[in-house]
Amino acid sequence: MSRAAVSNGKGVLYVVATPIGNLEDLTPRAKRILASVDLVAAEDTRHSRRMLRHHGIERSLVSLHEHNERQVMQRVIDQLESGRSVALISDAGTPLISDPGFPLVRECHRRGIRVSPVPGPSALVAALSVSGLPTDRFCFHGFLPRQQAARRERLEQLRGEPATLVFYESSHRIAGSLADMAEILGADRPACLARELTKQHEEILPAPLGELAGVVATDPLRRKGEFVVMVGTAPEAGRSQRMQEADRVLELLLEELPLRQAVALASRITGENRNRLYEQALENKNPG
Ligand code: SAM
């Protein structure tokens, strides 16, 4: 049994963040925990073994990825139930952030197994911290749907979201996604593209969406690597005009429909945030 902490006679599941590019970004605490647990559950064991070896760590690894997650979970749970401690890592960054691990963490909570975070890199936070876009309110949407129709529909739903939007994207789809974002969210929306963070070809491109879509469409080098796309809220003038339109649609629907139905429909028609419309509808009903 390892030197890692044991709680209630059960082991601890450590959820450990690992580098998103630069291997020096593994924290000293992550190193100590990874070197002391009985088992490391990793997405791609070959990739993770290389990363661990780089830090002089040799541990037994079990592969836990999106296709075998439920089967392997039982094996990991058995280890934890018998007092052994396990570290969950993914190929890069923080597990569960667009990465496997959610069913395992939920099952640990269900069984009273302690789950402890070992925080560190995540492309989401790293990108936001350098984007120059507002970070007081942001909404993470992971990867957009692969199919263009579904992707465009999702973007339509997000048009009125009053927060900085954050997406992960791959090199295969970055050009198409940026083109759709510029068309649906608005070419003048402030945005930032973070490419290959912490790696040799790191690039942070703050520019309106239309410009970003153009740059990526015309330069094949800019389509290489891993990406985080961040989109700020619509410029104030356009936004308030859209809000006024949404309020007018809401007012008309409220004349014909019950409040909830009117709000839902107005939100679908205009892309405006449902909660804001709900508050507006209550205000219309009880002015002052
Ligand atoms: N769990 C990871 C995290 O905490 O960031 C994310 C895993 S997800 C499967 C992989 C995606 O994260 C990539 O397609 C890319 O969108 C983003 N990503 C990961 N590393 C990155 C990097 N170094 N630079 C930019 N984006 C990155």
Side-chain angles (χ1 to χ4, degrees):
M1 199 162 300
S2 76
R3 283 170 286 121
V6 171
S7 154
N8 301 333
K10 301 184 181 191
V12 177
L13 175 71
Y14 292 98
V15 178
V16 183
T18 59
I20 56 170
N22 190 324
L23 290 177
E24 288 175 27
D25 289 339
L26 189 71
T27 69
R29 179 159 168 255
K31 253 184 244 180
R32 179 171 58 75
I33 298 283
L34 287 168
S36 65
V37 290
D38 297 286
L39 184 67
V40 176
E43 253 187 298
D44 174 346
T45 50
R46 278 205 310 189
H47 169 90
S48 292
R49 192 164 281 124
R50 268 201 306 277
M51 187 275 294
L52 293 174
R53 279 215 182 108
H54 175 90
H55 291 285
I57 300 167
E58 288 282 348
R59 280 286 135 209
S60 42
L61 278 102
V62 61
S63 153
L64 183 141
H65 48 73
E66 71 177 306
H67 303 294
N68 72 358
E69 197 166 3
R70 287 180 193 271
Q71 299 92 291
V72 175
M73 188 169 89
Q74 193 50 51
R75 193 172 146 202
V76 173
I77 292 283
D78 290 346
Q79 297 280 319
L80 290 160
E81 289 280 15
S82 63
R84 297 192 175 82
S85 285
V86 177
L88 172 69
I89 61 177
S90 60
D91 285 351
T94 302
L96 280 84
I97 306 300
S98 292
D99 265 341
F102 167 60
L104 176 61
V105 168
R106 189 179 45 181
E107 186 62 13
C108 285
H109 285 302
R110 214 176 60 77
R111 291 170 180 252
I113 294 168
R114 201 180 123 212
V115 183
S116 182
V118 183
S122 180
L124 156 68
V125 172
L128 260 180
S129 71
V130 295
S131 67
L133 294 169
T135 52
D136 54 336
R137 235 174 141 186
F138 65 86
C139 208
F140 176 57
H141 292 278
F143 291 95
L144 283 165
R146 284 162 185 246
Q147 303 297 330
Q148 194 185 25
R151 176 169 78 202
R152 290 176 67 92
E153 194 183 323
R154 178 76 51 84
L155 289 170
E156 292 280 0
Q157 291 161 2
L158 298 178
R159 214 157 30 149
E161 189 71 45
T164 296
L165 307 173
V166 187
F167 305 94
Y168 281 167
E169 200 43 280
S170 72
S171 54
H172 310 294
R173 282 182 285 276
I174 187 68
S177 284
L178 281 172
D180 283 345
M181 284 181 196
E183 190 185 323
I184 294 166
L185 301 177
D188 57 345
R189 282 272 281 255
C192 181
L193 183 66
R195 185 169 82 88
E196 293 289 85
L197 291 167
T198 77
K199 303 185 200 176
Q200 193 186 352
H201 298 292
E202 175 180 279
E203 192 170 32
I204 316 293
L205 283 173
L209 262 180
E211 226 174 276
L212 285 182
V215 164
V216 169
T218 50
D219 182 352
L221 282 180
R222 291 246 166 75
R223 295 197 285 276
K224 282 195 179 349
E226 299 189 281
F227 303 86
V228 182
V229 183
M230 293 152 288
V231 184
T233 49
E236 211 38 57
R239 181 167 166 66
S240 56
Q241 195 188 343
R242 237 199 8 260
M243 275 177 163
Q244 282 170 22
E245 272 168 33
D247 290 352
R248 165 122 184 87
V249 171
L250 177 67
E251 206 180 303
L252 290 173
L253 291 172
L254 279 169
E255 285 171 15
E256 305 293 333
L257 296 169
L259 187 139
R260 277 178 192 283
Q261 228 178 320
V263 167
L265 203 52
S267 169
R268 276 178 58 199
I269 293 169
T270 63
E272 186 57 45
N273 181 277
R274 189 185 284 229
N275 290 338
R276 193 194 71 74
L277 287 175
Y278 188 72
E279 276 167 27
Q280 181 65 41
L282 290 179
E283 213 177 291
N284 286 8
K285 258 184 89 179
N286 310 305

